[in-house]
Amino acid sequence: MERLSAIMQFFLGKNPTRVKEQGLSVYSPENFENDLYCINHHGAQSSCIINLIKSKAAPVSIENVDKCITSNFLKCEFDPTVLDKWYFCFQFNESKEFEQQIAMFHQGTTLSVKKLNVKTIGDIKIRLLEIEKQRMIGELYRLTLIQNRLRIKQAEDMNHAALSMIRKIGED
């Protein structure tokens, strides 16, 4: 088990008012969702973004690599021969080990102060499997997210079609 701070560099986002003053393109919560659910094209980047409010991680897509992150996000950069980006996201988003560690850091804090911080994230320990196993797990996780997104979209489309038919019947 390795501490994240031993294998990653962290870059905290800027204050939102400063970003707007400088006229920079801002990384938004929608960008984060698009990166996580593979709506954007992912390149060979070895960096991830942690949404500090949602306590979720996503790889940075090519479309969003140059966007400026705000203080609600934390950028993590690491060596892709040591850690696979999708394996990291799987561990951060889904693993019981991470969940328990994050819960321990949150003990004693009020509900309104459950936002993660750089020190907390740096202290989290990750089990580093050999890189090929990480890549297999990461790729399965990525495909699972894509399938889930497609199922949700299909359900929404079916719901929309059914409601349109109901409205049409009601108009006749």
Side-chain angles (χ1 to χ4, degrees), residues 149-165:
R149 178 177 50 86
L150 293 172
R151 278 193 294 276
I152 290 168
K153 173 98 174 78
Q154 183 181 31
E156 288 171 350
D157 290 348
M158 289 171 60
N159 187 45
H160 180 72
L163 291 174
S164 292
M165 280 191 274

Side-chain angles (χ1 to χ4, degrees), residues 3 147 158 172:
R3 270 187 158 53
Q147 286 298 315
M158 289 171 60
D172 290 343

Side-chain angles (χ1 to χ4, degrees), residues 2-43:
E2 289 278 343
R3 270 187 158 53
L4 291 180
S5 60
I7 59 171
M8 289 185 170
Q9 287 185 286
F10 300 108
F11 303 93
L12 190 57
K14 297 180 178 185
N15 181 315
T17 53
R18 286 201 184 123
V19 173
K20 287 177 184 157
E21 286 171 6
Q22 296 171 348
L24 300 169
S25 182
V26 178
Y27 187 84
S28 68
E30 293 78 26
N31 295 140
F32 178 82
E33 294 295 316
N34 290 342
D35 283 352
L36 180 60
Y37 294 105
C38 309
I39 293 168
N40 292 330
H41 176 71
H42 288 274

Side-chain angles (χ1 to χ4, degrees), residues 12-13 50-56 70-74 92 106 114-118 121:
L12 190 57
I50 296 174
N51 184 324
L52 297 170
I53 307 289
K54 290 187 168 189
S55 297
K56 291 272 186 198
T70 62
S71 54
N72 289 333
F73 297 103
L74 180 68
F92 197 92
H106 283 322
K114 291 239 178 195
K115 183 176 170 181
L116 291 173
N117 62 48
V118 178
I121 293 168

Side-chain angles (χ1 to χ4, degrees), residues 7 15 38-39 51 63 80 85 94 122 131-132 140 142:
I7 59 171
N15 181 315
C38 309
I39 293 168
N51 184 324
E63 290 86 343
K85 62 187 174 187
E94 309 295 339
I131 195 68
E132 283 310 311
L140 285 169
R142 186 183 74 81

Side-chain angles (χ1 to χ4, degrees), residues 2 14 38 47 67 69-70 80 87 89 107 129 158 172:
E2 289 278 343
K14 297 180 178 185
C38 309
S47 61
K67 290 190 177 173
I69 60 169
T70 62
Y87 174 77
C89 291
Q107 278 182 346
L129 304 175
M158 289 171 60
D172 290 343

